[in-house]
Amino acid sequence: MAAHRPRRAPGALGERFTVLDPATGEAFAEAPDQRPDTLDAVVGRAHEAWRGWRADPVARATALRAAADAVEAAGADLAPLLSREQGKPLAESYAETARTAARLRYFAGLAEHAETAGHTGIGPGTRLPPDGRPVRSELRWRPLGPVAAIVPWNFPLQLASAKFAPALAAGNTVVLKPSPFTPLATRLLGTVLSTALPEGVLTIVTGHEPLGARLASHPGIRHVTFTGSVPTGRAVARGAAASLARVTLELGGNDAAILLEDVDVERIADRLFWAAFRNCGQVCMAVKRVYAPARLYADVVEALAQRAKTVVVGAGLDPGTELGPVNNAPQLARVEHCTARALADGARAAAGGHRLDRPGYFHAPTILADVPPGSPVVTREQFGPVLPVLPYGSLDEAVAAANGTGFGLGGSVWGSDLDRAGAVADRLECGTAWINHHAELSLAQPFAGAKESGVGVAGGPWGFYGNLRPFVVHRPEES
Ligand code: NAD
């Protein structure tokens, strides 16, 4: 997406940049605009801290649990700041803070489990199955070194913790770069975590490009874990190729929801609506296209439009707000452009269809009907509070349309016969498919996009071992 460079101002700590409140469009705080040449020192300290941090998995687990306690205790400070800079309703910010703590605890448990199972540490490791030679092979897992974590602005804390919790639990140190649109809650999180983690183990850097590009290509980084758009993901992979650091990319999505003939429209309408509009549609795995059988098409459009017209839109910090603003001006422009183009292509706005006439980056929750299937609001990731609903004739047609983009993050199937819905879900080319809901993830599951939606695996034990490298010792078999 287009680069955003808020005003820079010299401050006592060097260059700083302004952070805008998306509910007003006005600056309300500043953050350090760190120069890329400061990364040598930051990564150097991450290397130094790694020596101690990698040594003892049980001590790491204890520290990560203390970190989780500290995050929970700081919820009342973190959540309002997150809502102010990101725009989401306060209850969602509290939930994001709680998930950050839960993730730290989950990966602390995995660190202990891996140690007990002999996978990490300096013990005998896991004995590999014999292959007929008189050799005994033992597998151990070793941390990689300093990890670069680069995250976007839609879930600053949750996505950051999805990277640093497994990386730290596995014995790596982390340099974390949040989006310049949302640096503040992450910086506060860093302060909170520093009460539980040794110095240098987790460092947060903030600033504009080329800070992220230089971090991704820094020779001292051994794993780059990135969440963001497909084009930036490509740039990150190219940068990391310089040092051949491991790369994990969690990229964009354009998830389809297929409604089956036996779906109970009124029963699922609330769930389907929020699967598309939570966090103002700024969720990588939000429902971004709905395919409805022709017979139910009008009912589905009407049910979703009704909800879009009555949802309470407002500032994240206002009590009662259900849907906040879009996070930033370039993102709002992208949403407006996709919507205007669809309307010009012949679509009909069953609800919304325009930005709201008020300060800040508000866009009316929008349901689009009669959209030409080739319109960018269907084929691209518009990442906002807009949902096109498309009719289908045959199920094969719906599945082909759902699979017909370069994305493959998630997808869902909605109907009363769960086995039938499951059989359709099996045909979706994506990393996670749901039946009768969307975008719910377990901490214990692998999270990976198909096609251009990602490279590598995050989440659960897969995410943990994705931060380790196998190390095998062969020795003669004892007679
Ligand atoms: P973005 O790609 O513009 O930016 C993501 C991060 O990369 C930010 O921190 C940004 O400052 C940094 N960055 C920008 N240019 C860089 C470069 N050349 N090298 C290194 N870092 C660079 O994405 P965004 O607009 O902040 O976020 C929205 C995108 O994120 C959407 O495409 C969305 O689908 C995706 N996303 C994916 C997931 C997932 O898990 N798959 C989750 C959330 C968001």
Side-chain angles (χ1 to χ4, degrees):
M1 75 187 259
H4 162 80
R5 299 189 76 81
R7 180 169 53 86
R8 284 172 188 238
L13 297 170
E15 291 261 306
R16 300 176 74 76
F17 64 93
T18 52
V19 183
L20 308 184
D21 179 343
T24 61
E26 284 171 13
F28 75 100
E30 292 184 343
D33 200 357
Q34 211 158 323
R35 290 193 320 269
D37 60 13
T38 59
L39 288 174
D40 287 344
V42 170
V43 176
R45 281 196 296 275
H47 262 284
E48 278 162 33
W50 185 41
R51 285 200 204 105
W53 183 247
R54 65 184 293 184
D56 184 350
V58 176
R60 283 204 299 274
T62 305
L64 292 174
R65 288 201 180 97
D69 292 344
V71 171
E72 265 169 5
D77 296 322
L78 286 164
L81 188 57
L82 179 58
S83 282
R84 184 87 194 269
E85 67 174 343
Q86 202 284 333
K88 65 185 64 187
L90 193 53
E92 289 185 30
S93 292
Y94 272 105
E96 184 164 343
T97 307
R99 280 194 293 271
T100 299
R103 196 169 259 125
L104 282 161
R105 282 208 184 89
Y106 173 79
F107 282 104
L110 276 192
E112 269 173 358
H113 180 266
E115 175 66 0
T116 310
H119 293 185
T120 51
I122 52 168
T126 313
R127 190 168 170 181
L128 293 171
D131 66 354
R133 292 178 306 143
V135 171
R136 175 185 168 128
S137 308
E138 287 168 1
L139 168 65
R140 300 160 195 172
W141 293 85
R142 296 283 184 255
L144 301 166
V147 172
I150 302 176
V151 295
W153 44 260
N154 58 339
F155 290 95
L157 303 186
Q158 199 176 316
L159 294 173
S161 67
K163 301 194 172 310
F164 68 66
L168 293 176
N172 307 284
T173 51
V174 175
V175 179
L176 165 65
K177 193 200 83 65
S179 165
F181 291 114
T182 52
L184 302 174
T186 311
R187 277 173 54 75
L188 179 57
L189 178 69
T191 306
V192 169
L193 293 173
S194 71
T195 61
L197 302 177
E199 205 180 327
V201 160
L202 173 68
T203 308
I204 291 155
V205 295
T206 58
H208 286 104
E209 286 311 303
L211 186 65
R214 291 277 286 277
L215 179 60
S217 59
H218 195 283
I221 292 292
R222 296 315 311 147
H223 178 196
V224 184
T225 170
F226 169 83
T227 297
S229 62
V230 173
T232 312
R234 283 205 176 90
V236 163
R238 277 195 298 272
S243 60
L244 291 175
R246 182 178 296 184
V247 173
T248 304
L249 304 175
E250 296 170 46
L251 305 179
N254 189 5
D255 292 8
I258 299 178
L259 275 51
L260 301 182
E261 285 282 352
D262 64 354
V263 76
D264 181 338
V265 175
E266 261 316 304
R267 190 153 176 223
I268 60 126
D270 272 338
R271 233 175 310 143
L272 181 61
F273 178 82
W274 284 112
F277 286 88
R278 187 168 74 93
N279 204 27
C280 208
Q282 303 164 127
V283 181
C284 55
M285 45 173 48
V287 170
K288 301 214 177 73
R289 302 172 280 154
V290 171
Y291 291 93
R295 187 179 64 82
L296 299 177
Y297 185 66
D299 293 348
V300 173
V301 170
E302 180 52 29
L304 291 170
Q306 252 183 28
R307 279 146 182 94
K309 286 174 186 164
T310 51
V311 69
V312 181
V313 179
L317 288 174
D318 285 351
T321 290
E322 295 177 302
L323 200 81
V326 170
N327 173 256
N328 57 71
Q331 179 57 31
L332 178 63
R334 178 158 73 159
V335 173
E336 274 192 283
H337 171 77
C338 278
T339 306
R341 172 76 190 275
L343 294 172
D345 287 347
R348 171 174 64 87
H354 49 83
R355 72 178 288 179
L356 292 179
D357 185 18
R358 58 183 279 180
Y361 309 132
F362 289 93
H363 194 280
T366 296
I367 303 294
L368 293 175
D370 308 330
V371 188
S375 192
V377 78
V378 178
T379 58
R380 298 200 195 140
E381 183 192 37
Q382 44 85 15
F383 212 57
V386 178
L387 183 64
V389 186
L390 298 109
Y392 70 82
S394 74
L395 197 53
D396 284 349
E397 197 186 296
V399 171
N403 290 336
T405 76
F407 297 103
L409 197 55
S412 56
V413 182
W414 304 66
S416 298
D417 180 337
L418 297 185
D419 290 339
R420 181 153 182 270
V424 179
D426 270 347
R427 297 171 64 190
L428 295 178
E429 291 165 6
C430 58
T432 313
W434 296 269
I435 294 157
N436 291 342
H437 62 113
H438 199 108
E440 286 176 30
L441 296 173
S442 142
L443 288 175
Q445 77 165 83
F447 180 63
K451 298 193 276 186
E452 289 182 3
S453 286
V455 171
V457 185
W462 299 268
F464 177 75
Y465 285 94
N467 280 286
L468 291 162
R469 63 181 174 82
F471 171 60
V472 178
V473 177
H474 292 278
R475 64 176 193 190
E477 188 68 270
E478 284 157 26
S479 51

